[in-house]
């Protein structure tokens, strides 16, 4: 009885969420300043955040948007991707990546992943190129980079556009260069679970002025550039519509958060790395789970996610059962991701079936994300480690 009571006291009394944003007093003060200024939609703070972000990643231009989804949509539009075109991407991504290919009336083509690193496999990309292929969207999964040199080599050989889905990659580096300045277009997310947040929001970075200007025009109803200045003292209320566009602009209220979040990104990512290394060390002896593996080429991992793969052959429960057991321990988890071709819409409207992308399917059935965010305390992480270890031991399959 004493031992049972001791074990029970090890469990958390409160639920630990999978992720929480880290919002400081400077961010709050900047938002309040926006509210008091009367300029709460796209304005000077959004412009400042774009400038700061471009400088941070090393690109010439950055365009703030309402989401990374909007960034993917407009990036493909700006490149002229449309009906009859094929776009190659990974099945291990959030559905927004693929949905925006469909939104542009193009055809998504899936290339399988490296089962070790979970990044899109360049050799699989090469196999999927046809005379209809117009672009490749590599996704920097979990915060480490795809092999961009190899992808650019394939793209160059076949005259393909490259749009990097960098939703997980704020602060990620590839061979000494930050993601955001390597390809014609890169798209970032500032959703609350990302490495920095603006509540909702996204950014497209590019070194091409023509693409930046096209995206700026399309993001706000197709109105000519600098439309946000129409109500400024030096502006004019007159405007012209160049093309039918959208309402995808980033607000100053959001940018107020981003300006200060960006100043803290290096500290945030150092903390993420520290916690990831602690998880790796703590879980090294658990045969019931597979730990994340890093890519072999030079890189800096932003550790947006810490994912493990559950080994159901070593356990009496599957991945979903493992998550339920952690929930009972008051530990939140996430699934990043169910392979896109296994979702109902894509099962019905694409040619892919289970068995076509074996590496992605293996990962999709086993993957789960553990809590990893800068606001977690060491004690929080100790609770996660204890809970995962306990679930593995309690549900270990006996020989």
């Amino acid at each position: 009885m004493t031992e049972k009571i001791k074990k029970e006291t090890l469990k958390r009394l409160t639920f630990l969420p999978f992720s929480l944003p880290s919002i400081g007093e400077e961010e709050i003060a900047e938002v309040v300043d926006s509210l008091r200024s009367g300029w709460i939609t796209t304005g000077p703070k959004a412009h400042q955040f774009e400038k700061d972000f471009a400088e941070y990643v090393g690109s010439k231009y950055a365009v703030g948007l309402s989401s990374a989804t909007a960034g993917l949509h407009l990036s493909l539009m700006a490149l002229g991707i449309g009906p009859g075109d094929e776009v190659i991407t990974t099945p291990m991504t959030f559905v927004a990546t693929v949905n925006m290919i469909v939104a542009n009336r193009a055809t998504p083509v899936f290339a399988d992943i490296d089962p070790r690193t979970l990044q899109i496999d360049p050799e699989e990309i090469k196999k999927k190129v046809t005379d209809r292929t117009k672009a490749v969207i590599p996704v920097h999964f979990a915060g480490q980079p795809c092999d961009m040199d190899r992808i650019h080599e394939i793209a160059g050989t076949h005259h393909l556009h490259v749009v990097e889905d960098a939703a997980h990659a704020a602060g990620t580096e590839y061979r000494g260069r930050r993601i955001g300045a390597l390809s014609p277009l890169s798209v970032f997310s500032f959703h609350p679970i990302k490495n920095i947040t603006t509540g909702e929001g996204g950014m497209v970075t590019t070194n091409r002025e023509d693409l930046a200007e096209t995206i700026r025009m399309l993001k706000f109803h197709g109105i000519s550039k600098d439309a946000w200045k129409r109500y400024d003292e030096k502006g004019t209320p007159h405007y012209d519509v160049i093309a039918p566009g959208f309402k995808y602009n980033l607000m100053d209220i959001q940018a107020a958060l981003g300006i200060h979040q960006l100043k803290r990104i290096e500290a945030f990512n150092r903390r993420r790395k520290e916690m990831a290394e602690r998880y790796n060390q703590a879980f090294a002896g658990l045969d019931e789970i597979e730990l994340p593996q890093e890519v072999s080429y030079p890189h800096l991992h932003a550790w947006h996610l810490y994912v493990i793969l559950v080994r159901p052959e070593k356990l009496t429960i599957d991945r979903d059962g493992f998550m339920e057991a952690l929930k009972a321990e008051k530990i939140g988890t996430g699934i990043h991701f169910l392979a896109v071709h296994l979702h109902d819409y894509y099962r019905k409207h694409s040619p892919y079936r289970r068995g076509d992308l074996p590496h992605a399917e293996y990962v999709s059935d086993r993957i789960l994300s553990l809590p990893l965010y800068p606001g977690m305390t060491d004690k929080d992480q100790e609770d996660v480690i204890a809970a995962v270890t306990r679930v593995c031991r309690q549900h270990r399959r006996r020989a």
Side-chain angles (χ1 to χ4, degrees):
M1 177 65 72
T2 304
E3 182 64 23
K4 182 178 179 181
I5 293 173
K6 184 178 179 181
K7 286 183 178 179
E8 289 298 323
T9 59
L10 292 174
K11 294 183 180 180
R12 287 182 65 92
L13 298 177
T14 59
F15 186 75
L16 179 68
F18 154 71
S19 183
L20 285 174
S22 297
I23 305 296
E25 292 302 320
E26 287 183 320
E27 288 95 320
I28 293 169
E30 197 76 45
V31 171
V32 171
D33 181 71
S34 291
L35 295 173
R36 286 177 172 159
S37 75
W39 203 319
I40 60 177
T41 187
T42 304
K45 284 185 170 62
H47 182 69
Q48 182 64 49
F49 183 41
E50 290 175 338
K51 182 174 177 290
D52 293 348
F53 197 83
E55 183 178 340
Y56 175 74
V57 301
S59 66
K60 291 182 180 178
Y61 309 99
V63 183
L65 298 161
S66 57
S67 67
T69 303
L72 289 165
H73 189 190
L74 298 189
S75 291
L76 293 174
M77 284 191 71
L79 293 170
I81 303 299
D85 297 336
E86 293 179 348
V87 180
I88 299 172
T89 192
T90 171
M92 283 303 296
T93 183
F94 185 55
V95 291
T97 311
V98 186
N99 286 351
M100 292 305 99
I101 297 171
V102 175
N104 280 280
R105 296 183 294 168
T107 301
V109 174
F110 294 119
D112 211 349
I113 61 170
D114 179 330
R116 189 182 68 86
T117 67
L118 315 189
Q119 306 300 319
I120 192 169
D121 185 340
E123 295 309 307
E124 292 298 312
I125 294 174
K126 188 176 178 181
K127 292 176 186 177
K128 298 301 177 75
V129 176
T130 72
D131 58 3
R132 295 174 59 192
T133 309
K134 294 297 186 291
V136 180
I137 304 180
V139 177
H140 301 299
F141 185 86
Q144 67 174 338
C146 302
D147 191 350
M148 294 310 302
D149 283 354
R150 184 72 184 107
I151 291 170
H152 283 145
E153 179 185 352
I154 294 166
T157 298
H158 298 281
H159 308 290
L160 308 178
H161 300 294
V162 177
V163 179
E164 296 179 47
D165 185 330
H168 296 182
T172 298
E173 294 181 10
Y174 173 78
R175 297 187 182 276
R177 297 178 64 193
R178 285 203 178 111
I179 295 300
L182 304 179
S183 297
L185 291 160
S186 300
V187 183
F188 294 85
S189 171
F190 306 131
H191 182 274
I193 74 166
K194 297 303 193 295
N195 291 43
I196 62 172
T197 186
T198 58
E200 293 281 0
M203 191 79 74
V204 173
T205 60
T206 181
N207 289 321
R208 285 178 49 179
E209 184 178 13
D210 61 326
L211 292 177
E213 290 306 317
T214 298
I215 291 169
R216 285 191 194 282
M217 177 268 295
L218 289 171
K219 77 171 184 177
F220 194 72
H221 302 294
I223 294 175
S224 53
K225 68 177 183 178
D226 291 337
W228 64 272
K229 294 181 179 178
R230 284 183 294 141
Y231 301 113
D232 185 68
E233 182 181 0
K234 298 178 182 179
T236 172
H238 293 287
Y239 62 92
D240 191 18
V241 174
I242 300 170
F246 301 86
K247 188 69 167 62
Y248 282 163
N249 54 303
L250 182 77
M251 300 189 301
D252 264 28
I253 293 176
Q254 297 167 292
L257 291 171
I259 288 167
H260 293 286
Q261 287 274 293
L262 187 60
K263 292 176 182 177
R264 303 170 68 196
I265 190 171
E266 295 302 303
F268 285 164
N269 287 356
R270 281 194 299 271
R271 175 59 176 161
R272 286 175 176 273
K273 180 181 179 182
E274 175 186 297
M275 295 174 70
E277 290 174 347
R278 190 180 188 199
Y279 275 146
N280 284 341
Q281 183 176 11
F283 297 146
L286 295 178
D287 196 38
E288 294 78 16
I289 58 176
E290 298 179 43
L291 304 187
Q293 302 296 309
E294 294 198 44
V295 295
S296 59
Y297 37 84
H299 70 287
L300 179 65
H301 199 322
W303 288 107
H304 166 56
L305 299 172
Y306 186 90
V307 298
I308 61 173
L309 301 184
V310 172
R311 289 173 163 164
E313 68 277 10
K314 301 283 187 179
L315 293 158
T316 59
I317 53 176
D318 60 9
R319 185 270 311 282
D320 291 352
F322 202 100
M323 294 176 72
E324 284 299 315
L326 287 177
K327 185 186 290 186
E329 297 270 354
K330 298 193 180 299
I331 303 298
T333 55
I335 298 178
H336 299 89
F337 299 97
L338 175 65
V340 175
H341 69 293
L342 301 181
H343 284 286
D344 187 60
Y345 175 85
Y346 290 99
R347 283 191 293 107
K348 291 177 180 177
H349 297 281
S350 80
Y352 297 94
R353 298 293 177 267
R354 183 173 280 275
D356 291 342
L357 300 159
H359 293 156
E361 291 160 16
Y362 176 91
V363 170
S364 175
D365 292 343
R366 293 163 174 78
I367 199 165
L368 69 87
S369 302
L370 296 176
L372 182 76
Y373 55 94
M376 281 178 62
T377 66
D378 288 348
K379 177 60 169 62
D380 289 333
Q381 191 173 22
E382 288 169 10
D383 289 343
V384 177
I385 291 167
V388 170
T389 303
R390 215 165 18 242
V391 170
C392 286
R393 289 175 177 169
Q394 290 173 357
H395 297 277
R396 184 174 291 157
R397 190 180 295 276
R398 307 302 174 186

